[in-house]
Amino acid sequence: MQACMSNIEANELVKRYADFTAVKGISFNVRQGEIFGLLGPNGAGKTSIINMLIGLARIDGGEVHCGGLTYTQQVDGRVQTLMGVVPDESNLYDEMTGLDNLVFCGALYSMAKPARIQRAQELIRLVGLTDHEDRLFRSYSRGMKRKLTIAAALMHRPNILFLDETTTGLDVASAREIRSLIQDLNAAGTTVFLTTHYIEEAEQLCHRVAFLVGGRIVRTGTVTDLLRFDGGRTVVQLALNQNAAQAARALTAAIPDTEVEVLDETTVRVYGGERMNLIPYLTVLERFDQQVFEAKVLKPSLEDVFLQETGLTTAAMRSTNGGGRRST
Amino acid sequence: MTKLIPFFSILYKDMRNYYLKPPNISWGIVFPVAWTLMFFVRSESPVDLQQLLPGVVALSILFGTTSMLAVTITFERRSRSFERLLLAPFSVHYLMLAKTSGAILFGVLNALVPVILACLFSGLELLEIRWGVLVPAVVLISISSTFLGLMIAVSVREVFEAQTFSNFFRFPMVFLCGLFIPVQQLPVLLRPLSYMLPLTYGVDALRTATHGVGMLPVAASFTILIAFCAVLFAISIRNVSRNWVY
């Protein structure tokens, strides 16, 4: 029953703003206990999707199944008790203290006073704001505000936590703390649905990721599956002592089905099968008096996969973190 | 009983965050006092002041409630904290009733100030007042003015827009609703406008409470005021559902 209640299934969701269609009939499902990420550049439709799921935007087409209920236009109040929402901007009350904000949020879900005070204190401890609970929210730093906003979303013990661009605009340390908090919450059983335009964040946090571009999902899968976008090929980069072009010709001639790319005068990239035996390559190179100084196995990053799948350029994803293949 | 927890929490939060802040308390007292003194200075006898009491009471409520609501709702929407309320598991009707309850109370308290001043300075006897009419009239004026403020607040995006838009309704009401010039003495062409404004009926009921005579029977004024409340609330809810849930 619990498993059923936490799942979200969206079918053919559509969102229109006047003549502009922001979400163009997308479908996906979020499984119990997973962290599901919606990854896309700004303007891809991420916030529109999250707003339709939580009830801040009307659904113009399609339907959502959540908590055993189906809604086609407006979210049901019973579903809202299952959801905790952390918006892209902290939206608690500036003129209230951190503790009072949480207690008030608990009251919105009809929690009795002793229970909501206890829960608020428990969450203040969880997010590490015990020393600041009596300070006004307006005096908090951006990172502290975001942590308290997450705590506010957890007051009524939701099954599903929606996080919209949660680490956007935070410094590195705060963003890391928030990611760690999200992982801890998920480990404790909370299903997490997050939107982000930080590729590294999605790669680090999510069990499954959907790539969203122009209001359409272009690919969904586990991070591991998505990283096998080259059909499971292995890429090895070799640093040679001389004439990379000649080495490439020798390798292509000697080893069938080998693809070699010359990067510069002394570097080549060799593309092989899923499990690549390097000995034949090294033997051929030795025969041609090549010395191999370094061999790096390159794994694709999620950014590579994202850019390949979406056809976007790195410039279009300028605001994202990291990039390129990672070497091991 | 637990269903009332969100209602009273929102009311308590609004009272604490907005209505009971020193500037607003002083606004709630100074504004009615200023209206009363203004007319006290102009009046030639205490009797005049008694004549003006219904108008001053109605004005105090109208300006108090609409000003406050323009701030609390528009400001919270601007800061996005209103989204938190929209995400909570209760209906928009429930939410709006909770959000307006503070302003209604504020309006009722505003109304007390000129009544107390009139008793102190104009020789108005408390026993002369028909409390059975005055109290429901004050409450209904507070509710209708608050819902007017709500309708204005949910139709705009900025606090200054709400204040400007409020004046579009408030200032004509000062002249058209029989506050200081009886509706019967207005030019014939303006009278239909008077009958289209809720405050006309509120002032008439107040006049019955303080002087024993009104243009309409009290029951009729109350019924019309209740109808205005229902219409204004329905328009506000429709605007919130249409414009705030995108």
Side-chain angles (χ1 to χ4, degrees):
Chain A
M1 184 63 184
Q2 188 68 15
C4 167
M5 299 219 11
S6 275
N7 282 354
I8 304 169
E9 193 181 321
N11 292 323
E12 298 295 324
L13 280 188
V14 175
K15 182 68 204 164
R16 294 187 200 93
Y17 299 101
D19 294 336
F20 174 67
T21 306
V23 180
K24 299 167 181 165
I26 63 152
S27 301
F28 59 87
N29 76 314
V30 182
R31 297 171 194 152
Q32 159 75 21
E34 77 173 346
I35 302 181
F36 182 87
L38 209 49
L39 178 65
N42 291 329
K46 300 186 296 291
T47 300
S48 292
I49 293 169
I50 216 167
N51 280 349
M52 280 193 283
L53 296 177
I54 62 177
L56 281 183
R58 212 170 285 108
I59 298 170
D60 293 325
E63 59 181 20
V64 179
H65 304 281
C66 184
L69 294 161
T70 300
Y71 47 99
T72 53
Q73 264 208 315
Q74 195 67 60
V75 70
D76 191 295
R78 287 168 294 175
V79 178
Q80 284 177 314
T81 58
L82 300 174
M83 299 173 171
V85 179
V86 182
D88 54 349
E89 280 174 41
S90 300
N91 63 352
L92 291 167
Y93 296 91
D94 276 343
E95 49 288 302
M96 287 162 75
T97 66
L99 186 68
D100 285 347
N101 261 301
L102 294 194
V103 172
F104 174 70
C105 289
L108 294 179
Y109 291 82
S110 300
M111 290 171 74
K113 196 170 184 180
R116 57 183 193 253
I117 291 173
Q118 191 188 346
R119 176 73 174 152
Q121 285 169 337
E122 186 185 313
L123 287 169
I124 288 264
R125 274 196 301 277
L126 178 77
V127 298
L129 293 174
T130 312
D131 294 339
H132 309 281
E133 66 176 43
D134 293 326
R135 276 174 52 189
L136 291 180
F137 185 66
R138 73 160 67 95
S139 71
Y140 279 21
S141 69
R142 192 185 267 257
M144 288 158 74
K145 282 184 174 177
R146 206 56 65 87
K147 283 185 205 166
L148 197 78
T149 311
I150 293 176
L154 296 169
M155 271 302 287
H156 59 291
R157 299 178 196 277
N159 296 53
I160 310 160
L161 188 61
F162 288 89
L163 302 157
D164 191 9
E165 309 270 5
T166 306
T167 58
T168 301
L170 294 185
D171 61 76
V172 176
S174 298
R176 187 174 289 185
E177 279 178 8
I178 300 252
R179 284 187 202 119
S180 163
L181 177 63
I182 293 167
Q183 283 170 324
D184 291 347
L185 291 169
N186 178 251
T190 308
T191 304
V192 178
F193 179 100
L194 65 85
T195 68
T196 183
H197 61 266
Y198 292 144
I199 292 176
E200 279 197 346
E201 180 168 283
E203 190 171 352
Q204 226 176 72
L205 285 178
C206 299
H207 298 117
R208 287 194 309 133
V209 176
F211 293 157
L212 185 74
V213 182
R216 285 200 172 87
I217 287 182
V218 292
R219 183 138 181 219
T220 309
T222 62
V223 172
T224 319
D225 285 344
L226 291 171
L227 290 177
R228 279 200 219 116
F229 79 108
D230 275 340
R233 287 202 301 176
T234 304
V235 183
V236 178
Q237 187 167 302
L238 303 172
L240 309 172
N241 63 327
Q242 58 175 341
N243 207 340
Q246 184 201 46
R249 282 194 297 276
L251 287 171
T252 319
I255 305 169
D257 300 328
T258 292
E259 190 186 323
V260 183
E261 182 188 357
V262 178
L263 293 186
D264 57 41
E265 184 61 25
T266 57
T267 314
V268 291
R269 228 172 237 186
V270 182
Y271 296 82
E274 195 166 357
R275 289 175 64 80
M276 194 172 163
N277 180 7
L278 289 179
I279 300 298
Y281 295 91
L282 298 176
T283 310
V284 171
L285 291 172
E286 195 178 20
R287 204 185 303 150
F288 283 87
D289 289 334
Q290 287 279 6
Q291 290 171 28
V292 180
F293 296 123
E294 189 181 48
K296 280 194 294 193
V297 177
L298 301 183
K299 289 187 175 172
S301 70
L302 201 58
E303 181 171 336
D304 292 324
V305 184
F306 183 83
L307 296 178
Q308 175 165 314
E309 289 288 331
T310 59
L312 290 173
T313 60
T314 309
M317 288 295 289
R318 208 170 16 222
S319 51
T320 59
N321 277 348
R325 285 172 182 272
R326 296 168 307 169
S327 59
T328 54
Chain B
M1 194 60 190
T2 55
K3 287 191 172 176
L4 291 176
I5 292 175
F7 184 95
F8 285 108
S9 296
I10 292 170
L11 171 60
Y12 176 70
K13 188 264 298 171
D14 281 353
M15 294 302 278
R16 210 175 67 158
N17 285 2
Y18 308 116
Y19 300 108
L20 296 181
K21 290 277 169 166
N24 292 334
I25 294 176
S26 59
W27 164 266
I29 296 169
V30 169
F31 194 75
V33 168
W35 281 111
T36 311
L37 287 178
M38 189 172 81
F39 290 109
F40 188 72
V41 170
R42 288 281 300 144
S43 62
E44 289 170 0
S45 71
V47 179
D48 286 349
L49 195 62
Q50 285 180 26
Q51 294 286 339
L52 294 169
L53 182 63
V56 177
V57 168
L59 263 190
S60 303
I61 299 172
L62 177 69
F63 276 77
T65 52
T66 48
S67 303
M68 286 298 120
L69 216 62
V71 174
T72 60
I73 300 236
T74 320
F75 177 73
E76 284 195 5
R77 191 190 174 199
R78 194 87 189 108
S79 67
R80 292 185 62 182
S81 48
F82 205 87
E83 281 179 8
R84 189 161 287 285
L85 306 178
L86 285 171
L87 290 172
F90 40 72
S91 68
V92 178
H93 294 76
Y94 181 101
L95 167 59
M96 287 308 178
L97 285 175
K99 282 300 289 179
T100 51
S101 55
I104 293 167
L105 272 178
F106 190 72
V108 171
L109 293 174
N110 268 346
L112 290 178
V113 177
V115 173
I116 292 167
L117 287 175
C119 291
L120 290 175
F121 299 112
S122 76
L124 180 71
E125 293 288 339
L126 290 175
L127 291 175
E128 287 173 12
I129 299 174
R130 295 182 185 186
W131 291 98
V133 178
L134 186 108
V135 172
V138 163
V139 171
L140 282 172
I141 295 171
S142 290
I143 297 173
S144 58
S145 301
T146 299
F147 287 174
L148 174 69
L150 177 66
M151 188 190 76
I152 292 164
V154 300
S155 307
V156 297
R157 297 192 73 86
E158 305 285 348
V159 174
F160 78 89
E161 286 177 307
Q163 296 292 9
T164 312
F165 196 25
S166 296
N167 289 336
F168 178 77
F169 289 94
R170 288 189 300 205
F171 284 107
M173 281 175 152
V174 174
F175 302 103
L176 293 172
C177 292
L179 274 68
F180 308 111
I181 308 160
V183 173
Q184 294 89 334
Q185 291 177 22
L186 288 173
V188 178
L189 285 175
L190 289 179
R191 277 184 226 165
L193 282 177
S194 302
Y195 295 121
M196 290 163 68
L197 298 168
L199 208 58
T200 303
Y201 305 95
V203 173
D204 196 52
L206 286 176
R207 189 152 284 130
T208 306
T210 53
H211 297 85
V213 284
M215 188 175 61
L216 290 171
V218 172
S221 294
F222 285 173
T223 307
I224 295 169
L225 273 175
I226 290 169
F228 268 110
C229 292
V231 170
L232 290 168
F233 190 68
I235 294 171
S236 305
I237 295 295
R238 194 197 62 164
N239 282 349
V240 170
S241 305
R242 204 181 259 187
N243 302 329
W244 291 21
V245 176
Y246 302 101

